[in-house]
Amino acid sequence: MQLITFYPGPAKVYPQVAQYMQDAYESGVLSINHRSQEFMEICRKVIDLTKFKLNIPADYTLMFVSSATESWEIISQSLAATLNCVHLYSDAFGRKWYQYDKKLNPDTTFEYPFSLQDKPEPDYVSFLNPDMFCFTQNETANGTQVRMETIRTFRQAYPDALIAVDVTSSLAGIELDFRLADVWFASVQKCLGLPAGLGVFICSPRAIERSISKEGHVRYNSLSFIYENIEKYQTPYTPNVLNIYLLMRVMEQINVIQLTAGRLRQQAADWYAFLENFSEYELLINNPEVRSDTVITVKSSEPNIRRIKELARQENIVLGNGYGTWKDTTFRIANFPAIAPDEIALLKDLLSRHLT
Ligand SMILES: *Cc1c(COP(=O)(O)O)cnc(C)c1O
C-alpha cells in the first residue's frame, strides 16, 4: 500500500507522474540526444510553459541545473565573488547557503541571522555596504517565509544590489514577484511535485550581464556558460532529460499560479486555525506574518512528537521529521500543490483523534 506523505521534501509527486514516466519511455524521450532538435523542442516548451504558469517575466531567463545546492555554488562563483554579499536567514537552509559562500568567498561574505519570529530590516546591515543579498524565502527547516513586502524593502533601500532568493520549498506554490530579485532557484522534489535530480535557476537580465562581465566560462557550471547554452535550448552537460520532460508535463497540467496560490493560502490558514486547538502540541511559529504557506511546523515534547509520528505511520501517513535544531521536538506538514484535499482530510482526522 502506498503511504500518504506530508514530508516537505522529497515530497509527494503528482500521481500523474506514473503515466508521464511511462509515456517518456514509450515515446523514446529517454534516449534522445541532448543536442537534438527533439530535446531543444522539449526544452523550449518547458521554459515557455513554466514562465506562463508561474508568471515569470518574459525577459528573465530560465535555466536547468542539478539542485538547489548547486545553485548556491553557481551564485557564489558567478555572481557573488568579489561583491559584499549579505546572507539573511533564520535557520538551517539559509545558514548552509551562507556557509558554502563563506568558504568560497571568505572576505566578502557576511551573515545577518534573524529570529524565526521576526523579519529582517534593511537598515541593520547598511554598515556592510552590501552589493548583494541572499534570502531563503521559505525556510523549510522551521516553516517561516520572507514575504515579498520584506524583499521589496531591501530592493528599495539598495536598488543597485543584486538579490538572490532560494525558493526551493515555495516555487509553484505561492505568488512570487520576480521583478523584486535577480536570481530565483529551486530544486523540483518539493513544491514542484517531481522526483529529485533537477533544479531550475531563473535570472534577471541584470544578473546575466553581471555574470558575463565577471567571468568567461571557466567552469562547466559558470552562469555565463549555462546561459550561452540555454540560448540554444541546450545545457552544458547531458541533463536529466527525464525530469525536464516530467516538468514539461506537470507544467501542462497545473493551474496558473494565482489559482494554486489561492488554494494553498486558504489551506494553510485552515491548517494554522486547526492546529491552534491543542495545548500539548503548538505551532512553532507564533507570528502569523512570517508563517509559511507551504511548510507548517508543529512543536511538542520529544515523546509526544515520536508518538504522533508512530500513530500516523500505523495509518500509512508519513509526517515530516523536524529539521536541524528542531529534529526531535517538531514535525512538519507539507502544504504542497500535489497533496490532495482528501489526504489533508485524512491527516486532520488522525490529528483530531490523537493530539491533545
Ligand atoms: C531542500 C532545500 C535545499 C536543498 O535542496 P537540494 O535539492 O538537496 O540541493 C535548499 N534550500 C532549501 C530552502 C531547501 O528546502
Side-chain angles (χ1 to χ4, degrees):
M1 157 148 197
Q2 195 163 5
L3 298 170
I4 301 176
T5 179
F6 287 88
Y7 225 101
K12 184 193 171 189
V13 297
Y14 283 100
Q16 292 91 332
V17 165
Q19 184 62 48
Y20 301 159
M21 286 175 62
Q22 189 67 31
D23 294 348
Y25 175 72
E26 281 168 10
S27 66
V29 161
L30 299 185
S31 308
I32 61 175
N33 185 298
H34 66 295
R35 308 277 173 222
S36 68
Q37 203 55 44
E38 262 173 301
F39 174 77
M40 285 153 64
E41 188 48 36
I42 291 172
C43 199
R44 188 190 59 75
K45 203 164 161 192
V46 62
I47 290 170
D48 290 351
L49 276 167
T50 308
K51 283 181 156 185
F52 171 68
K53 290 288 172 82
L54 302 187
N55 213 3
I56 299 169
D59 59 345
Y60 276 47
T61 306
L62 192 152
M63 289 161 272
F64 297 108
V65 295
S66 62
S67 65
T69 303
E70 188 193 12
S71 304
W72 292 340
E73 187 177 292
I74 291 170
I75 292 166
S76 289
Q77 296 185 313
S78 293
L79 290 168
T82 55
L83 302 180
N84 282 340
C85 181
V86 181
H87 289 255
L88 308 102
Y89 65 85
S90 72
D91 223 312
F93 284 101
R95 185 182 311 113
K96 261 197 222 180
W97 183 6
Y98 161 72
Q99 287 165 345
Y100 275 97
D101 195 18
K102 186 76 181 167
K103 281 184 197 153
L104 287 164
N105 302 314
D107 300 333
T108 51
T109 302
F110 305 96
E111 60 181 326
Y112 173 6
F114 56 93
S115 148
L116 71 174
Q117 312 290 357
D118 262 334
K119 50 185 191 207
E121 300 287 345
D123 291 347
Y124 192 82
V125 287
S126 56
F127 72 100
L128 292 169
N129 294 320
D131 307 306
M132 181 162 182
F133 293 101
C134 296
F135 288 96
T136 299
Q137 190 276 325
N138 201 71
E139 180 46 89
T140 321
N142 61 23
T144 56
Q145 68 172 316
V146 177
R147 295 198 183 269
M148 292 302 112
E149 300 92 86
T150 303
I151 299 180
R152 183 174 291 113
T153 61
F154 281 82
R155 192 58 150 188
Q156 285 167 349
Y158 306 92
D160 296 329
L162 286 178
I163 299 183
V165 192
D166 182 337
V167 281
T168 300
S169 50
S170 55
L171 183 72
I174 69 166
E175 279 187 84
L176 301 168
D177 186 349
F178 289 94
R179 294 253 176 240
L180 293 177
D182 301 285
V183 181
W184 303 80
F185 62 90
S187 32
V188 299
Q189 75 275 15
K190 298 186 185 177
C191 213
L192 280 155
L194 285 165
L198 181 69
V200 293
F201 193 91
I202 302 159
C203 279
S204 70
R206 184 163 80 158
I208 299 292
E209 276 162 36
R210 299 259 187 114
S211 73
I212 290 170
S213 60
K214 199 170 271 307
E215 51 162 25
H217 50 258
V218 288
R219 288 173 307 279
Y220 81 96
N221 64 359
S222 293
L223 182 50
S224 56
F225 190 41
I226 302 175
Y227 175 72
E228 211 174 275
N229 274 270
I230 207 70
E231 289 262 86
K232 298 177 286 184
Y233 297 112
Q234 294 185 11
T235 51
Y237 55 91
T238 317
N240 188 335
V241 177
L242 171 60
N243 228 333
I244 291 173
Y245 171 84
L246 296 177
L247 180 62
M248 177 186 82
R249 297 294 302 270
V250 161
M251 284 297 149
E252 285 171 341
Q253 158 209 318
I254 62 171
N255 275 323
V256 291
I257 189 63
Q258 292 85 339
L259 293 177
T260 307
R263 169 167 73 92
L264 294 195
R265 204 179 309 122
Q266 185 57 51
Q267 275 175 195
D270 294 347
W271 267 124
Y272 286 119
F274 172 83
L275 290 163
E276 263 162 5
N277 291 323
F278 309 99
S279 57
E280 282 195 40
Y281 291 83
E282 52 184 356
L283 292 166
L284 176 66
I285 308 304
N286 310 319
N287 178 1
E289 275 186 64
V290 301
R291 279 179 190 156
S292 167
D293 283 339
T294 51
V295 179
I296 292 150
T297 310
V298 181
K299 189 175 95 173
S300 192
S301 66
E302 230 179 284
N304 273 349
I305 294 295
R306 206 178 315 117
R307 171 177 161 274
I308 192 65
K309 285 193 295 194
E310 277 165 15
L311 287 166
R313 199 59 193 237
Q314 286 167 18
E315 300 187 27
N316 296 313
I317 292 178
V318 181
L319 294 172
N321 286 338
Y323 194 92
T325 324
W326 314 107
K327 193 175 186 330
D328 299 319
T329 51
T330 67
F331 70 83
R332 293 176 298 163
I333 302 169
N335 183 36
F336 293 159
I339 296 169
D342 61 323
E343 296 175 316
I344 296 174
L346 279 176
L347 176 55
K348 279 194 179 150
D349 172 65
L350 172 116
L351 295 176
S352 318
R353 280 181 281 120
H354 298 297
L355 294 193
T356 43

